[in-house]
Amino acid sequence: MPFTSSLVIATYNWPEALEACLKSVLQQQQMPDEIVIADDGSGNDTRQLIAKYKEIFTIPVVHVWHPDEGFKLAAIRNKANAKATGDYIIQIDGDLLLHKDFVKDHIAAAKQGCFIGGSRVILNQALSAQLLTKESREISLFQKGVSNHLNGIHSSLMGKVLSRLIPSKDASGIRGCNMGYWKKDFIAVNGYNEAQTGWGLEDTDLVMRFYNCGLKRTYFKLRGIVYHLWHAEKSRDNVTANHLILQKTIQEKAVRCENGVQQYLAANNPN
């Protein structure tokens, strides 16, 4: 059955990386039906950049913003997903460069009852800086500054075969920067738990609730390739508190969180 897709891009005050990301979206072999930018309180430079790319893309570009009140990625992703009109959400971060078949791979791999947790190729500081200053962003797995090489090998056919042979049953390697799921499944678990603020584990908590409601994870190697630009690590001050929330989700086999996406769905659909 045909379905629509929304590419949801999270960003915060790094317009140079976001522009590089958007340029890689322009090179996609298959476009999503819309782009939704989940902006965790960026300033005017990011707003102007998004306005510019709204004129460049031939698909809708929606900017969802809230004030900067610290690291509230869970909340802004909930707000963006509530606004998204696609049946299927492809979730990335705005500090990624996408392989030309990234969206195509996600759409081809989307299956009812399943979600996708992809991986990433890591770029070091020097190579990242170089890629941000050059118009050409061709990346070779053999060049200096690239790690996690296996995550950069692309073969849609082999990836599809392996996904039938290799089960993925846990939350290991889950990165919110490269995920795919049905919007209805996201709503069923009430999206991200906004009690988790600051860096860390909000994606794992979401995935555990996906499992608890009966979803399966699709093995997604050799497909959906992204290149992660280097940046300084975020503060991990809230990891302990976030871990306690995750442990409660696991112990209670919770399906829904209390403070999630539902509040924004009601706001978007008052009738």
Side-chain angles (χ1 to χ4, degrees):
M1 289 285 292
F3 61 88
T4 55
S5 61
S6 298
L7 180 65
V8 177
I9 308 174
T11 192
Y12 173 70
N13 272 338
W14 196 6
E16 296 83 4
L18 179 60
E19 180 161 30
C21 178
L22 290 172
K23 286 183 176 179
S24 73
V25 178
L26 285 169
Q27 300 302 313
Q28 292 299 295
Q29 294 296 304
Q30 181 175 353
M31 296 295 284
D33 292 285
E34 68 174 357
I35 297 167
V36 183
I37 299 178
D39 185 349
D40 193 18
S42 300
N44 196 48
D45 287 351
T46 296
R47 187 179 300 276
Q48 290 178 354
L49 176 72
I50 294 169
K52 169 185 169 183
Y53 276 86
K54 282 184 177 182
E55 300 299 319
I56 294 173
F57 277 95
T58 57
I59 59 174
V61 178
V62 180
H63 185 195
V64 180
W65 178 92
H66 65 191
D68 184 358
E69 297 176 348
F71 193 109
K72 291 193 173 182
L73 184 57
I76 196 60
R77 279 184 172 151
N78 280 343
K79 292 172 183 176
N81 283 358
K83 284 278 189 184
T85 62
D87 303 311
Y88 196 77
I89 305 291
I90 303 170
Q91 176 180 294
I92 66 171
D93 285 350
D95 56 7
L96 301 180
L97 307 180
L98 310 183
H99 184 279
K100 63 182 177 63
D101 288 326
F102 174 80
V103 171
K104 181 180 178 181
D105 286 343
H106 264 275
I107 290 174
K111 293 190 297 184
Q112 293 291 341
C114 298
F115 68 94
I116 287 171
S119 52
R120 58 185 179 161
V121 178
I122 304 295
L123 308 179
N124 73 7
Q125 185 174 5
L127 179 57
S128 297
Q130 177 183 333
L131 289 168
L132 286 175
T133 56
K134 288 188 174 180
E135 194 62 33
S136 174
R137 294 184 173 86
E138 291 293 324
I139 299 169
S140 166
L141 294 180
F142 303 103
Q143 71 188 104
K144 186 177 179 181
V146 176
S147 57
N148 290 36
H149 295 84
L150 178 61
N151 293 341
I153 299 173
H154 185 263
S155 174
S156 296
L157 178 59
M158 280 302 300
K160 186 176 181 179
V161 171
L162 289 175
S163 71
R164 294 174 178 173
L165 300 175
I166 303 175
S168 293
K169 296 182 178 179
D170 58 24
S172 63
I174 282 292
R175 303 288 182 185
C177 66
N178 185 359
M179 290 183 69
Y181 43 80
W182 298 96
K183 182 173 177 177
K184 64 180 177 61
D185 293 335
F186 186 79
I187 292 171
V189 300
N190 204 18
Y192 280 96
N193 188 342
E194 294 185 23
Q196 291 179 303
T197 59
W199 183 92
L201 300 177
E202 73 281 347
D203 305 308
T204 307
D205 188 83
L206 173 67
V207 165
M208 293 312 301
R209 285 181 281 116
F210 278 159
Y211 281 132
N212 292 343
C213 76
L215 299 184
K216 296 179 180 179
R217 180 181 174 186
T218 298
Y219 186 81
F220 202 55
K221 292 292 185 183
L222 308 182
R223 298 179 288 175
I225 293 170
V226 301
Y227 305 92
H228 185 246
L229 295 166
W230 180 92
H231 57 76
E233 288 192 352
K234 307 291 186 183
S235 168
R236 303 193 176 192
D237 291 347
N238 282 30
V239 167
T240 299
N242 289 349
H243 181 72
L244 291 174
I245 294 169
L246 172 60
Q247 287 303 112
K248 184 178 179 182
T249 297
I250 294 170
Q251 291 165 5
E252 297 181 358
K253 296 184 178 179
V255 170
R256 290 177 60 86
C257 60
E258 290 185 12
N259 188 15
V261 71
Q262 192 64 47
Q263 60 192 309
Y264 310 117
L265 293 170
N268 288 339
N269 300 283
N271 297 321

